[in-house]
Amino acid sequence: MVNQYPRTIAEAIEALREPHAVPVAGATDWMLRHSAQDVPIFLYGIESLARIQEAEGGVRIGAACTHAQLMDDPRVPQMLREACAGIAAPAVRNLATLGGNLCNASPAGDTLPVLYAADARARLEGPDGARELPISEMILGPRRTALKKGELLTEVFLPRCDGLWRVEKVGGRRAQAISKCSMAAWIRMRDGRVERFRAAFGAVGATVVECREGEALLLGAAKEEIPARAAAVLEAFASAIAPIDDQRSTAEYRRDVCLRLLGDFLREAAA
């Protein structure tokens, strides 16, 4: 009989040897994704998965931390707290977890643009030991991750996000809505020049969309030089963004809104 209620990560990894075992932390969309043959391995009893700990250069977040928990913890960067506040409604945020949002690997996952823009890393543990991956390498496509059979996402390391940042979600309404598109953008200045610029967009590609070429165009720019470089930055991102038409929106609308959001952010940075 498989242990569906492990108390440690080691017990959970052992339980995942069951052919149809599926780790569960939140289960807010279980009925949408799984069949009667799937065996849920409930992770609620593993205390280490629900911890938030300060670490050198950032914060370590257990994969079973709920969105409500993240919103209420001052150690969590405000970028992520704001993204969590836009997820569904309080009833869902009290159950849904950061790890679940990641492992679902939806292009419209609300926390994902922030994690991409901040260069967050995922800790995976399994029968062969532990490894760490950038979030951008853990998510391979819609509903596809780099998790191997028997592996468990246990922790996310989120670096500090000091500087100017913005998180935006565009949906049909303010709550209980799947994103039409979303953005997380971040600029850090040092000695009067752009030291770091990151921008990531959700729901406009098979995974979260980034554009290293566009980001590089802003590096080293003085604040007053940002407006002159903005057009080239937007052009680079326009080439990277690849939305589709679906029941929630059109590709044209999504691309236009994303570029307007990024343009507004660059104007704010220049100001």
Side-chain angles (χ1 to χ4, degrees):
M1 178 68 178
V2 64
N3 177 14
Q4 291 183 258
Y5 301 92
R7 308 296 294 185
T8 66
I9 291 173
E11 288 181 2
I13 292 171
E14 179 62 29
L16 290 175
R17 292 180 182 274
E18 162 70 29
H20 299 293
V22 180
V24 175
T28 53
D29 66 351
W30 175 269
M31 296 296 289
L32 299 175
R33 295 197 60 192
H34 299 288
S35 65
Q37 69 176 353
D38 291 327
V39 179
I41 307 300
F42 297 100
L43 305 178
Y44 310 109
I46 304 176
E47 292 183 5
S48 62
L49 295 183
R51 291 178 186 159
I52 299 172
Q53 298 176 301
E54 289 184 297
E56 183 178 356
V59 62
R60 295 193 174 277
I61 301 170
C65 289
T66 66
H67 299 305
Q69 183 182 352
L70 298 177
M71 287 169 56
D72 293 338
D73 196 309
R75 295 171 295 181
V76 176
Q78 186 64 27
M79 264 179 91
L80 182 57
R81 294 167 66 188
E82 188 165 317
C84 289
I87 293 174
V92 174
R93 293 194 293 269
N94 286 335
L95 287 174
T97 61
L98 183 64
N101 210 215
L102 274 167
C103 292
N104 279 348
S106 166
D110 289 315
T111 63
L112 302 192
V114 169
L115 298 176
Y116 274 68
D119 290 326
R121 297 183 64 84
R123 180 178 175 84
L124 312 180
E125 298 188 44
D128 298 326
R131 59 188 178 123
E132 281 199 4
L133 289 176
I135 296 297
S136 57
E137 293 181 18
M138 176 190 154
I139 297 177
L140 305 179
R143 307 295 186 188
R144 295 193 302 114
T145 73
L147 282 161
K148 301 174 184 176
K149 175 61 182 175
E151 272 192 326
L152 192 66
L153 171 64
T154 58
E155 185 180 82
V156 173
F157 174 72
L158 185 63
R160 292 193 184 94
C161 304
D162 53 319
L164 177 69
W165 56 267
R166 179 184 285 191
V167 175
E168 298 280 359
K169 174 180 175 177
V170 179
R173 53 189 179 186
R174 294 184 62 85
Q176 295 282 40
I178 300 174
S179 297
K180 293 183 178 182
C181 60
S182 59
M183 180 192 78
W186 173 36
I187 281 181
R188 182 171 65 208
M189 309 288 290
R190 185 179 295 275
D191 299 327
R193 295 188 174 273
V194 176
E195 178 189 51
R196 189 170 188 80
F197 167 49
R198 300 283 277 107
F201 295 89
V204 290
T207 62
V208 170
V209 172
E210 302 178 286
C211 181
R212 293 287 187 264
E213 177 187 348
E215 292 169 349
L217 293 172
L218 215 57
L219 298 181
K223 187 165 69 170
E224 58 271 16
E225 295 173 334
I226 292 176
R229 301 193 189 190
V233 172
L234 292 172
E235 184 178 354
F237 272 92
S239 299
I241 293 170
I244 61 171
D245 295 324
D246 64 14
Q247 67 272 23
R248 295 197 309 278
S249 191
T250 66
E252 181 181 4
Y253 174 83
R254 286 179 161 120
R255 180 180 286 105
D256 185 57
V257 170
C258 287
L259 296 177
R260 286 176 182 270
L261 290 174
L262 182 56
D264 287 346
F265 176 72
L266 294 177
R267 283 188 286 274
E268 183 182 356

